[in-house]
Amino acid sequence: MPLTMVSASSPAKAILFGEHAVVYGLPALAVSLDRRLEMTVHPSEVWTVDGAPLESRKHRYIRWGAENLWDGGPLNISTRSSIPSASGLGSSAALCCSLISCFLEMRGAMSPEELARKAFEVEYNVQGKASPTDTSCCTHGSAVLVSPDRRDDHLWSISKEERTWHVHHVPLPPMELVVGYTRTPSVTTVMVAKVRDYYQRSGFARETIEEIGQLTMAGLEALKKGDLVEVGALMDRNQALLSILGVSTKELKKLLDAAAPHSYGVKITGAGGGGSMIALTDRPELVEQAIMRIGGTPYRVRPSNTGTTVGP
Ligand code: MEV
């Protein structure tokens, strides 16, 4: 019997290493966080989102998914989220994963791999260039390594145009993170295009991106050993390279400088140009206070093992 109502829940994410580089096929490591988007979907006379009609501009991800990946009638979609939008914390990946998991569940076809593939299709088609990092992390939970080569703990592989990304499970040591949100939006499409332009023009940009890839693999090893001091040092280095790529801003730098004295390491997370930074720390209260003092919004978060869940 077809389900008449399903509910899904998807986690936020932070990229610990490798944002932007992963778009060029280099590795990235992302972690799911204990903030979530909840969605309920049921059949309806007309398409609605949170009580309002589905709009092409406002609901771009839902519209693309509905037009391309749904074969049934109109749906009433309700969402509730503790993930600030355009914050670099994967709010759009969480929206895509919840939506597609509801579609799959209603057709009795839910599988994590299918979800990761289809949610990526939505992000890719709405955002232009994108890697499957955010949507795979949001599907799987815990942490994922996305890399150009297939390794142990392989989950699935996703190809687009000339690239194949292999997605792997990464076990994480216990860790505390504080997110500092600038309250200015991070527009992934714009930042990815900006880096692409630099990448195409400059050998130095290409070397910088290669170095981010190497550092991500060193970060993976440090995480496996539970060496948070080394993880932090590598995050700082990754931040320096992201600044060279031009995705840091004055507001982000203020938050990074405030958090750094109380942290193992600090860096922006996600596309940059606004959005958020993360601090790896064992003194989260001090980091929260420092971020608040200079006008940022802190979120104390922990990695979450729970990826996207869906059910009646
Ligand atoms: C955005 O969270 C991460 C980027 O690397 C883009 C992507 O991987 O799709 C900037």
Side-chain angles (χ1 to χ4, degrees):
M1 230 198 25
L3 290 171
T4 51
M5 177 169 144
V6 293
S7 298
S9 168
S10 299
K13 71 91 206 356
I15 298 189
L16 282 186
F17 298 106
E19 50 270 271
H20 289 290
V22 70
V23 174
Y24 302 92
L26 291 151
L29 204 154
V31 48
S32 311
L33 303 176
D34 55 1
R35 287 191 153 248
R36 302 187 74 87
L37 177 138
E38 320 284 341
M39 178 180 284
T40 301
V41 168
H42 61 82
S44 162
E45 298 286 296
V46 287
W47 282 93
T48 59
V49 180
D50 296 327
L54 177 67
E55 280 180 37
S56 319
R57 292 255 302 276
K58 192 166 166 205
H59 305 120
R60 287 179 306 149
Y61 295 93
I62 295 179
R63 208 198 79 171
W64 197 92
E67 284 177 356
N68 296 282
L69 299 173
W70 177 241
D71 56 1
L75 297 171
N76 173 311
I77 299 171
S78 309
T79 60
R80 215 159 24 95
S81 180
S82 61
I83 313 171
S85 62
S87 61
L89 297 178
S91 57
S92 60
L95 181 68
C96 296
C97 284
S98 275
L99 179 73
I100 301 303
S101 68
C102 288
F103 289 174
L104 291 170
E105 183 76 7
M106 286 177 124
R107 292 288 174 258
M110 172 60 196
S111 85
E113 180 166 347
E114 196 57 16
L115 169 58
R117 274 178 207 296
K118 294 210 156 107
F120 170 60
E121 277 303 310
V122 184
E123 274 220 326
Y124 189 91
N125 282 284
V126 174
Q127 284 182 7
K129 267 229 178 310
S131 79
T133 312
D134 294 9
T135 37
S136 279
C137 183
C138 184
T139 297
H140 177 63
S142 185
V144 297
L145 174 78
V146 179
S147 68
D149 53 331
R150 192 178 160 140
R151 308 165 58 90
D152 291 347
D153 294 324
H154 176 258
L155 294 168
W156 48 74
S157 301
I158 296 183
S159 302
K160 195 81 196 172
E161 291 169 4
E162 77 280 15
R163 297 212 189 287
T164 296
W165 292 273
H166 301 283
V167 181
H168 308 83
H169 168 73
V170 175
L172 281 183
M175 57 165 76
E176 295 237 36
L177 295 163
V178 179
V179 171
Y181 177 37
T182 55
R183 296 189 229 178
T184 51
S186 166
V187 185
T188 305
T189 327
V190 173
M191 299 316 289
V192 168
K194 180 176 174 182
V195 173
R196 183 170 50 222
D197 182 48
Y198 190 26
Y199 180 89
Q200 282 167 349
R201 275 189 297 110
S202 155
F204 181 53
R206 293 192 288 275
E207 278 167 30
T208 303
I209 281 184
E210 285 289 331
E211 192 179 337
I212 292 178
Q214 289 159 15
L215 186 151
T216 298
M217 296 315 286
L220 174 70
E221 291 312 311
L223 278 168
K224 280 188 179 161
K225 283 192 243 141
D227 184 348
L228 297 186
V229 173
E230 178 65 6
V231 175
L234 290 162
M235 286 170 68
D236 288 342
R237 179 70 192 141
N238 195 162
Q239 174 56 29
L241 299 172
L242 286 166
S243 296
I244 292 172
L245 293 181
V247 299
S248 202
T249 63
K250 256 199 345 244
E251 288 76 27
L252 282 163
K253 179 146 184 357
K254 276 206 281 185
L255 299 190
L256 293 162
D257 290 347
H262 317 295
S263 305
Y264 293 113
V266 291
K267 64 181 275 295
I268 68 164
T269 186
S276 305
M277 47 71 66
I278 42 166
L280 176 63
T281 180
D282 56 4
R283 288 170 292 167
E285 299 85 4
L286 293 183
V287 176
E288 278 182 298
Q289 286 159 15
I291 288 173
M292 237 154 14
R293 257 199 306 276
I294 52 156
T297 304
Y299 300 108
R300 206 161 147 179
V301 289
R302 283 176 197 272
S304 159
N305 282 327
T306 314
T308 293
T309 57
V310 64

